[in-house]
Amino acid sequence: MQITMLGTGSAFAKKYYNNNALVETDGCRLLVDCGITLPTALHKKGLQFDALDGVLISHMHGDHVGGLEEYAFQMLFKYGRKPLLYIADTLVEPLWEQTLRGGLTQGDLTSLEDFFVVKPLVPGQYYTLAPDLKVKLIQTKHIPNKDSYSFLFNDSFFYSADMKFDGELVMQLIENGVTTVYHDCQLEQPGMVHATLDELLTLPEDVQKKVWLMHYGDAMDDYRGRTGLMRIVEQGVAYSV
Ligand SMILES: Nc1ccn([C@@H]2O[C@@H]3COP(=O)(O)O[C@H]3[C@H]2O)c(=O)n1
Ligand SMILES: [Zn+2]
Ligand SMILES: [Zn+2]
């Protein structure tokens, strides 16, 4: 599979778009998260919303779901169809009731299902989204009392949601055959709700070789050469994983 980050920035970054990705396999183009800046980032990439097969959501923060209203409206009113929405079963109701309902409700359109073909995913179970694309949701810690889910694709590629550092999980994933880890990375301490660069630098070198950093702040250029053996995911570049 191929992955292109449409944005690699933190929630408050201004040099980079929100940390949202395009995952592509033969016959499937999946958006991973759809933040506030996604409509612009997609446009700059030369793509329109109807080029996407669907979207997979990690958690309810603006830099991950803030572009869904425009996605839904464009698909309905411009392209006349509902996109696939893959989301943890626990997040279906909160996404509508706490995030989208206010903007999307109109006339007979009163539910999430009026805009999306909703595919609730049970965390821990594998789902085949396309012939070459399997995904499992793994709940990871981010904000107290707010569910957040990272993604394991094809048993080999781990894509972190926003998450606190969990070295044990990363080590366990690598032991179980994961070859590439894309991890959110907060450059400065204290981390609070994200893994910090200093925490990620405590991973053993053989693990660091498999880790790529994303969801970073505008100061990333100052940190080049200071990320150990971990590499930086560049916005807009397609990588094979
Ligand atoms: N307890 C919290 C909660 C939120 N935040 C900041 O708000 C941002 C929301 O998007 P994010 O990408 O999860 O990053 C969060 C923190 O920067 C934070 O710093 N501390
Ligand atoms: Zn975020
Ligand atoms: Zn978040």
Side-chain angles (χ1 to χ4, degrees), residues 59-61 63-64 142-143 146 148 162 193-194 215:
H59 71 294
M60 235 73 74
H61 268 153
D63 55 323
H64 301 267
H142 179 36
I143 307 271
K146 189 177 185 74
S148 181
D162 293 354
V193 300
H194 291 283
H215 202 293

Coordinates of all heavy atoms in Angstrom, one line a residue, residues 59-61 63-64 142-143 146 148 162 193-194 215, ligand 3:
H59 N -10.4 9.8 16.0 CA -11.0 10.4 17.2 C -11.6 11.8 16.9 O -11.4 12.4 15.8 CB -10.0 10.5 18.3 CG -8.9 11.5 18.1 ND1 -8.0 11.4 17.1 CD2 -8.6 12.6 18.9 CE1 -7.2 12.5 17.2 NE2 -7.5 13.2 18.3
M60 N -12.3 12.3 17.9 CA -13.1 13.5 17.7 C -12.3 14.8 18.1 O -12.6 15.4 19.2 CB -14.3 13.4 18.5 CG -15.6 13.6 17.7 SD -15.9 12.2 16.7 CE -16.5 11.1 17.9
H61 N -11.4 15.2 17.3 CA -10.8 16.5 17.5 C -10.8 17.2 16.1 O -10.7 16.5 15.1 CB -9.3 16.4 17.9 CG -9.1 16.5 19.4 ND1 -8.1 15.9 20.1 CD2 -9.9 17.1 20.4 CE1 -8.2 16.1 21.4 NE2 -9.3 16.8 21.6
D63 N -8.8 18.7 14.2 CA -7.8 18.4 13.2 C -7.9 17.0 12.6 O -7.2 16.6 11.7 CB -6.4 18.7 13.7 CG -6.1 17.9 15.0 OD1 -7.0 17.8 15.8 OD2 -4.9 17.4 15.1
H64 N -8.9 16.3 13.1 CA -9.2 14.9 12.6 C -10.6 14.7 12.0 O -10.8 13.8 11.2 CB -8.9 13.9 13.7 CG -7.5 14.0 14.1 ND1 -6.4 13.2 13.6 CD2 -6.9 14.8 15.0 CE1 -5.3 13.6 14.2 NE2 -5.5 14.5 15.1
H142 N -5.2 9.0 24.8 CA -5.0 10.4 24.3 C -5.5 11.4 25.4 O -4.7 12.0 26.1 CB -5.7 10.5 23.0 CG -5.6 11.9 22.3 ND1 -4.4 12.6 22.4 CD2 -6.5 12.6 21.6 CE1 -4.6 13.8 21.7 NE2 -5.8 13.7 21.2
I143 N -6.8 11.5 25.5 CA -7.4 12.5 26.4 C -8.3 11.6 27.4 O -9.0 10.8 26.9 CB -8.3 13.5 25.6 CG1 -7.6 14.1 24.5 CG2 -9.0 14.4 26.6 CD1 -6.8 15.4 24.8
K146 N -12.1 10.2 26.5 CA -12.3 10.5 25.1 C -11.6 9.4 24.3 O -10.4 9.3 24.3 CB -11.7 11.9 24.8 CG -12.0 12.4 23.4 CD -11.4 13.8 23.2 CE -11.7 14.4 21.9 NZ -13.1 14.9 21.9
S148 N -10.0 7.1 21.5 CA -9.1 7.4 20.4 C -8.6 6.1 19.9 O -8.1 5.3 20.7 CB -8.0 8.4 20.9 OG -7.2 8.7 19.8
D162 N -3.7 10.3 17.6 CA -3.0 11.1 18.6 C -3.0 10.2 19.8 O -4.0 9.7 20.3 CB -3.9 12.4 18.9 CG -4.0 13.3 17.8 OD1 -3.3 13.1 16.8 OD2 -4.7 14.3 17.9
V193 N -0.8 15.0 26.2 CA -1.7 14.2 25.4 C -1.1 13.5 24.2 O -1.8 12.8 23.4 CB -3.0 15.0 25.0 CG1 -3.7 15.5 26.3 CG2 -2.7 16.1 24.1
H194 N 0.1 13.8 23.9 CA 0.8 13.3 22.7 C 2.2 12.6 23.2 O 2.7 13.0 24.2 CB 1.2 14.3 21.7 CG 0.0 14.9 21.0 ND1 -0.6 14.3 20.0 CD2 -0.7 16.1 21.2 CE1 -1.6 15.0 19.6 NE2 -1.7 16.1 20.3
H215 N 2.5 14.5 12.7 CA 1.7 15.3 13.6 C 2.6 16.2 14.4 O 2.6 16.3 15.7 CB 0.9 14.4 14.5 CG -0.3 15.1 15.2 ND1 -0.2 16.1 16.1 CD2 -1.7 14.9 15.0 CE1 -1.4 16.4 16.5 NE2 -2.3 15.8 15.8
Ligands
ZN3 ZN -6.4 14.7 19.3

